[in-house]
Amino acid sequence: LRLFHMVPHGDSLMIECANEERFPIELVWAANGEAGFKFEQRIDVDAFVAESSPYSKRALRLKVEHPATIRIGNDIYSATIRDISGQGAKIALAHRLAIGQRFLLEARELPMFEATVCWRREPEYGVVFSQVMGLDDLARRSERMMRATPERISA
């Protein structure tokens, strides 16, 4: 794998696919921003590559638990980013948002994003960003988000 962060170490490493399937893996080697892993159990390679899912293929999403704020006009509300992709995020907050509502999303490890609510299952909301984040930028920023909350890395 090409890594955009430090090589992970630990007894319970997992690789998670876009369809949310998780597989236990073990580090074999690491050099120059790349690492080789082996699966701890036999896998169906075709199924792994196909990432079969009842849902349509979607962009890579990374699970995080990162504090944020949303700004609507002069009002500011506390929120938590639950997952993030290059195009958007799942956030949780106590303030009710409307589908189609626009706001500014701010977090320590992100640039300020203009975001629009595209779905809601209170207290969680799916938002789409007005600008896209590249994969390398997403990887670096999400790794810093996870590092800021070490209990999420070991989960």
Side-chain angles (χ1 to χ4, degrees):
L1 299 176
R2 168 77 173 107
L3 302 176
F4 297 95
H5 50 74
M6 293 176 30
V7 176
H9 294 282
D11 294 334
S12 59
L13 297 175
M14 303 284 272
I15 188 167
E16 183 172 343
C17 299
N19 65 4
E20 298 188 355
E21 267 192 290
R22 298 175 127 205
F23 299 90
I25 57 173
E26 187 178 309
L27 178 65
V28 177
W29 62 268
N32 303 321
E34 296 183 348
F37 298 88
K38 70 177 183 176
F39 292 97
E40 290 185 356
Q41 299 149 359
R42 292 186 71 79
I43 65 161
D44 179 334
V45 175
D46 292 333
F48 177 79
V49 171
E51 290 187 270
S52 301
S53 172
Y55 309 105
S56 59
K57 198 103 170 166
R58 63 182 191 178
L60 172 70
R61 295 180 180 279
L62 302 170
K63 290 184 178 163
V64 296
E65 195 73 15
H66 192 68
T69 57
I70 65 166
R71 184 182 304 266
I72 304 168
N74 292 326
D75 297 324
I76 298 174
Y77 303 96
S78 294
T80 301
I81 300 171
R82 295 275 168 88
D83 76 27
I84 191 163
S85 73
Q87 297 81 27
K90 175 170 54 174
I91 62 171
L93 73 154
H95 181 75
R96 187 172 186 162
L97 300 175
I99 293 184
Q101 185 166 8
R102 292 182 178 182
F103 59 89
L104 295 176
L105 176 68
E106 299 176 85
R108 184 177 59 242
E109 298 299 338
L110 292 176
M112 187 182 311
F113 281 111
E114 184 178 303
T116 304
V117 176
C118 55
W119 61 262
R120 110 181 137 211
R121 281 182 223 103
E122 292 179 46
E124 295 181 327
Y125 298 84
V127 303
V128 62
F129 301 144
S130 61
Q131 62 269 42
V132 175
M133 202 175 3
L135 181 59
D136 58 340
D137 195 23
L138 170 66
R140 286 185 185 97
R141 290 177 185 281
S142 62
E143 191 272 335
R144 289 194 304 261
M145 287 179 187
M146 288 186 269
R147 194 173 347 126
T149 52
E151 64 277 4
R152 292 289 302 154
I153 294 172
S154 62

